[in-house]
Amino acid sequence: MLEIRNLNAHYGHSQVLYDISIDVKAGEFVSIIGANGAGKSTLMKVIMGLVPVSSGKLLFKGNEISRLEPWQRAGMKIAYVPEGRRVFGELTVAENLRIGGWVEPPQDLPRRVEKVVAIFPRLGERMNQAARTMSGGEQQMLAIGRALMLEPELLLVDEISMGLMPILVNRCFEVLKQLSEAGTTILLVEQNARKALGVSHRGYVLETGHIVLEGEATRLRDDDAVRRAYLGG
Ligand SMILES: Nc1ncnc2c1ncn2[C@@H]1O[C@H](COP(=O)(O)OP(=O)(O)OP(=O)(O)O)[C@@H](O)[C@H]1O
Ligand SMILES: [Mg+2]
């Protein structure tokens, strides 16, 4: 579904991603793990079109997408949950959700909102509340719910566990697992390697802009170097 080939990306003159090649097959759940500053968020932004590709290829379902605008990629059903739950604070939960579905036919939005509320009932209780007044966990649910309004074929998720209490981290990972089991293709970037590798089929390790290791999630979990660097021994 997603093919990244020999991709390089820069901010100005400073190169952040080096010769990245990643494949995500339809129905797969793939995680990219890496430390602070490895380039995880940059990679997500490149896939979404928020940071330009310097060279290399970015194919979605066989089509080159690297010159498309972010909204065109959203129209192809690539959805993005940004790092740090960037919800629209002054807008209500309902309005945030509608924005997530803005490329879709307006008459179809109520049905999609209902689907999201079935996954996150808490959002249903908070529909008219300003997003900024919600707890961190509720905002993360809203950020995921907003992305789900697209009924995405490919869901990009940046650090779902950041700053959340463990019970909510577990809930968010559970939701991703259920979405994956229901057929959504997921690419997740995470510092929480244990959780990420626990739910995904395959993983890649990103170190200072380079993919240094890839494999089945279970194999990465057992890899000595991964254990030492990312799983606490
Ligand atoms: N807008 C920007 N302009 C210049 N440099 C940037 C910009 N955004 C990120 N960088 C740099 O690119 C590198 C990768 O950053 P990125 O945010 O992709 O890392 P990350 O793996 O997501 O880190 P974290 O785990 O802290 O979220 C870092 O060295 C960072 O300082
Ligand atoms: Mg990041």
Side-chain angles (χ1 to χ4, degrees):
M1 180 167 279
L2 180 71
E3 292 171 59
I4 303 175
R5 291 278 169 273
N6 309 108
L7 179 132
N8 292 285
H10 298 72
Y11 291 109
H13 292 297
S14 112
Q15 184 159 2
V16 174
L17 296 176
Y18 297 84
D19 199 32
I20 302 286
S21 293
I22 288 173
D23 277 299
V24 184
K25 297 187 182 66
E28 246 190 338
F29 190 155
V30 173
S31 290
I32 298 174
I33 59 174
N36 282 129
K40 303 181 299 298
S41 296
T42 302
L43 178 61
M44 292 275 120
K45 289 175 189 166
V46 168
I47 299 170
M48 208 55 221
L50 303 168
V51 168
V53 167
S54 310
S55 65
K57 280 191 159 61
L58 189 56
L59 303 173
F60 179 65
K61 300 209 294 192
N63 300 307
E64 173 63 60
I65 60 165
S66 52
R67 304 282 171 258
L68 299 182
E69 298 294 332
W71 61 268
Q72 292 174 304
R73 302 185 202 202
M76 298 172 92
K77 302 215 163 283
I78 303 176
Y80 171 50
V81 182
E83 188 177 26
R85 330 182 247 281
R86 307 271 291 279
V87 295
F88 299 99
E90 299 306 316
L91 302 184
T92 65
V93 168
E95 288 165 337
N96 270 276
L97 291 178
R98 294 183 71 84
I99 287 173
W102 73 277
V103 292
E104 303 294 332
Q107 65 275 18
D108 198 38
L109 296 185
R111 180 187 65 80
R112 290 168 189 250
V113 169
E114 260 175 49
K115 260 177 83 177
V116 169
V117 169
I119 298 170
F120 297 115
R122 182 69 65 87
L123 295 181
E125 299 161 16
R126 298 278 190 280
M127 276 297 168
N128 297 312
Q129 187 171 327
R132 70 178 156 71
T133 63
M134 302 215 297
S135 72
E138 290 165 348
Q139 290 187 25
Q140 183 61 279
M141 292 176 200
L142 179 56
I144 299 169
R146 184 179 59 190
L148 295 182
M149 287 292 290
L150 265 186
E151 296 186 331
E153 290 192 32
L154 175 63
L155 179 61
L156 306 172
V157 185
D158 191 344
E159 302 271 7
I160 205 162
S161 68
M162 192 65 109
L164 294 186
M165 56 195 267
I167 187 168
L168 289 172
V169 172
N170 290 342
R171 176 68 193 130
C172 287
F173 275 99
E174 207 175 278
V175 165
L176 290 187
K177 191 156 184 273
Q178 284 164 2
L179 290 168
S180 166
E181 284 164 2
T184 307
T185 307
I186 302 178
L187 180 60
L188 167 72
V189 298
E190 256 296 338
Q191 277 190 54
N192 189 334
R194 188 178 302 278
K195 285 281 176 205
L197 295 176
V199 290
S200 46
H201 303 123
R202 278 194 310 117
Y204 292 81
V205 180
L206 184 65
E207 275 180 17
T208 54
H210 301 263
I211 298 288
V212 295
L213 201 60
E214 64 173 284
E216 298 292 321
T218 47
R219 196 177 68 72
L220 289 183
R221 266 183 304 184
D222 293 338
D223 182 276
D224 280 341
V226 172
R227 293 175 76 93
R228 271 195 307 276
Y230 299 101
L231 301 173

